[in-house]
């Protein structure tokens, strides 16, 4: 772009007005402020990414997660922990990348600031020179106009006293008229000189204004393009982070696909099995059975086989001394 939009739309009919120029400067200052805000945004986002990455790293390395699992699920969990670690490292790396982008934005701002400063210095000098010469010209104009009024008054005085009998008084009026005419000529020349100087200053100022508009518009085009590209790149970096994280998590999903419930259970059985034979049932033993009486005193005999048969049915024999008959006994109070 050639700066035609700026230089064609920021003039003002007031000779001393700098409203158009001030409007451009304010817009450029706002643009610089916007770049600074995005720079600060990147720095804060970098701090967030770094903190998240470090927290995720600590979680992955210090927090147990299914540490007693076995076989295929254990391998999947190991892949999971490793990929979480990798994702954490990616976030830490993204934080560093964002800081680099913030640094580039800062360098760009400072570069434009220095470029603008040169142009603004020239324009400030042009404004001061234009204002100073305008004041001198207006002062010269006032002097010229006053001298013209003085001459007119002198001419009128001569005309009013044309028939005056006092020659000395008339001579005095003519001398004043001649002096006023000379003063008018001198003030007119001074006024014209200041007008010419002011015109030269105005032309120089206008030329510098056009150059400044071209420089400022070129800077603004560059700033918008740089800002746009920086934002685009930032979004690409965030998208890439998501893609990279998903690729890492895909490794976990693939390892989960290899998990086998049957294999894990069989692995546990093979590693921890204790035997194939269940314990024998505990059989009923009658305290008054003949087998108990047959045992030697102080020695208990157990069954000869692992599984006992059904318990013996006690017989109701009144004459049997090993059997207590409790038919007539009751616990109820009568």
């Amino acid at each position: 772009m050639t700066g035609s939009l700026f230089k064609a739309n920021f003039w003002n009919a007031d000779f001393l007005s700098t409203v158009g120029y001030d409007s451009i400067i304010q817009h450029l200052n706002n643009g610089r402020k916007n770049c600074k805000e995005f720079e600060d945004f990147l720095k804060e986002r970098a701090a967030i990414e770094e903190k998240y990455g470090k927290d995720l790293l600590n979680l992955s390395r210090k927090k147990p997660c299914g540490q007693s699992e076995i076989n295929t699920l254990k391998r999947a969990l190991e892949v999971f922990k490793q990929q979480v670690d990798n994702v954490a490292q990616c976030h830490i790396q993204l934080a560093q990348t964002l800081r680099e982008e913030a640094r580039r934005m800062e360098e760009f701002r400072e570069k434009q600031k220095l470029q603008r400063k040169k142009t603004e210095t020239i324009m400030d000098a042009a404004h001061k020179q234009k204002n100073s010469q305008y004041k001198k010209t207006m002062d010269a104009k006032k002097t010229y106009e006053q001298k013209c009024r003085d001459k007119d008054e002198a001419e009128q005085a001569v005309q009013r006293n044309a028939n005056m009998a006092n020659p000395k008084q008339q001579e005095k009026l003519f001398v004043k008229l001649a002096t006023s005419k000379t003063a008018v000529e001198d003030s007119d020349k001074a006024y014209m000189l200041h007008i010419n100087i002011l015109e030269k200053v105005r032309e120089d100022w206008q030329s510098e204004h056009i150059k400044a508009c071209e420089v400022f518009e070129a800077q603004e085009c560059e700033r918008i393009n740089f800002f746009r590209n920086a934002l685009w790149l930032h979004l690409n970096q965030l998208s890439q982070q998501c893609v990279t994280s998903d690729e890492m998590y895909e490794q976990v999903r693939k390892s989960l696909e290899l998990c086998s419930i049957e294999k894990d259970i069989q692995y546990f059985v093979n590693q921890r099995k204790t035997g194939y034979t269940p314990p024998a049932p505990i059989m009923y033993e009658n305290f008054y059975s003949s087998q108990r009486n047959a045992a030697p005193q102080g020695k208990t005999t157990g069954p000869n086989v692992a599984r006992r048969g059904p318990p013996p049915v006690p017989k109701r024999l009144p004459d049997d001394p090993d059997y207590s008959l409790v038919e007539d006994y009751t616990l109820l109070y009568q």
Side-chain angles (χ1 to χ4, degrees):
M1 300 190 63
T2 62
S4 58
L5 292 177
F6 275 19
K7 73 181 182 182
N9 293 281
F10 289 94
W11 298 105
N12 193 282
D14 185 353
F15 189 85
L16 297 179
S17 175
T18 59
V19 172
Y21 177 80
D22 293 341
S23 179
I24 293 175
I25 294 300
Q26 182 61 47
H27 179 70
L28 296 179
N29 288 337
N30 290 339
R32 187 167 181 267
K33 179 183 176 183
N34 294 337
C35 289
K36 180 64 167 64
E37 290 174 350
F38 184 63
E39 175 190 329
D40 293 339
F41 179 90
L42 290 175
K43 290 178 179 178
E44 291 191 26
R45 178 63 187 264
I48 292 172
E49 290 289 341
E50 184 176 49
K51 183 178 184 303
Y52 175 70
K54 289 182 177 179
D55 289 347
L56 196 59
L57 205 60
N58 290 333
L59 177 66
S60 173
R61 295 180 178 181
K62 296 181 180 180
K63 188 69 175 179
C65 181
Q67 61 182 351
S68 63
E69 284 295 342
I70 59 174
N71 207 35
T72 61
L73 185 55
K74 178 181 180 180
R75 288 194 291 271
L77 283 169
E78 289 173 348
V79 174
F80 169 69
K81 293 290 288 291
Q82 180 59 52
Q83 295 306 324
V84 170
D85 191 291
N86 293 340
V87 169
Q89 296 286 0
C90 285
H91 281 281
I92 294 174
Q93 180 60 44
L94 176 61
Q96 182 61 33
T97 301
L98 295 180
R99 288 193 179 94
E100 288 295 321
E101 292 304 314
R103 183 183 58 79
R104 292 190 185 96
M105 179 62 75
E106 181 180 10
E107 291 176 351
F108 175 77
R109 283 192 308 104
E110 292 302 316
K111 182 192 74 171
Q112 285 211 326
K113 179 182 177 181
L114 293 176
Q115 292 174 344
R116 275 182 53 192
K117 188 174 182 180
K118 296 177 182 178
T119 304
E120 288 179 19
T121 301
I122 295 173
M123 285 302 297
D124 288 344
H127 285 142
K128 289 179 181 179
Q129 186 178 15
K130 183 183 71 167
N131 293 343
S132 175
Q133 185 58 40
Y134 178 82
K135 184 177 182 303
K136 292 178 181 178
T137 303
M138 291 302 101
D139 290 342
K141 180 182 179 182
K142 289 179 182 179
T143 301
Y144 165 71
E145 290 175 347
Q146 184 60 47
K147 297 301 181 181
C148 287
R149 283 190 288 268
D150 293 343
K151 182 182 79 69
D152 291 344
E153 290 177 1
E155 288 178 345
Q156 292 173 6
V158 169
Q159 291 175 0
R160 283 195 303 269
N161 297 284
N163 299 322
M164 186 181 265
N166 190 342
K168 189 174 182 180
Q169 186 66 28
Q170 285 185 343
E171 182 181 358
K172 192 175 183 180
L173 291 175
F174 278 111
V175 170
K176 185 177 181 181
L177 177 60
T179 302
S180 64
K181 286 182 178 179
T182 302
V184 167
E185 291 175 358
D186 292 342
S187 63
D188 180 67
K189 291 179 181 178
Y191 178 37
M192 286 298 299
L193 177 63
H194 282 294
I195 285 291
N196 292 333
I197 294 174
L198 181 60
E199 177 59 18
K200 178 66 170 60
V201 170
R202 188 196 66 81
E203 290 177 353
D204 292 343
W205 167 83
Q206 181 172 313
S207 176
E208 293 299 334
H209 180 82
I210 292 173
K211 291 178 183 178
C213 287
E214 292 174 348
V215 170
F216 292 154
E217 185 167 349
Q219 272 200 332
E220 183 63 2
C221 291
E222 182 185 21
R223 186 195 68 81
I224 293 174
N225 184 62
F226 187 88
F227 199 161
R228 171 185 175 276
N229 291 343
L231 185 57
W232 193 294
L233 178 61
H234 176 61
L235 295 176
N236 285 346
Q237 291 166 345
L238 298 182
S239 297
Q240 184 59 48
Q241 173 67 32
C242 294
V243 171
T244 302
S245 296
D246 188 66
E247 290 175 350
M248 293 176 178
Y249 291 139
E250 181 63 22
Q251 298 301 316
V252 182
R253 286 189 285 267
K254 289 180 179 179
S255 66
L256 288 172
E257 290 174 351
L258 299 177
C259 284
S260 170
I261 300 174
E262 293 79 5
K263 289 181 179 180
D264 285 2
I265 293 177
Q266 186 61 51
Y267 182 86
F268 168 73
V269 170
N270 293 338
Q271 293 293 318
R272 301 293 181 179
K273 62 184 178 181
T274 58
Y276 299 99
T277 305
I282 303 300
M283 307 302 296
Y284 170 77
E285 297 182 12
N286 190 286
F287 185 77
Y288 298 99
S289 65
S290 57
Q291 290 87 340
R292 186 175 187 278
N293 289 336
Q297 188 175 1
K299 185 176 181 182
T300 303
T301 60
N304 295 326
V305 294
R307 296 179 181 272
R308 297 185 179 90
V313 179
K315 299 178 180 179
R316 297 184 62 184
L317 298 177
D319 297 333
D320 189 350
D322 292 331
Y323 185 76
S324 295
L325 187 63
V326 293
E327 288 181 346
D328 298 330
Y329 180 77
T330 178
L331 293 175
L332 297 176
Y333 176 76
Q334 297 180 350

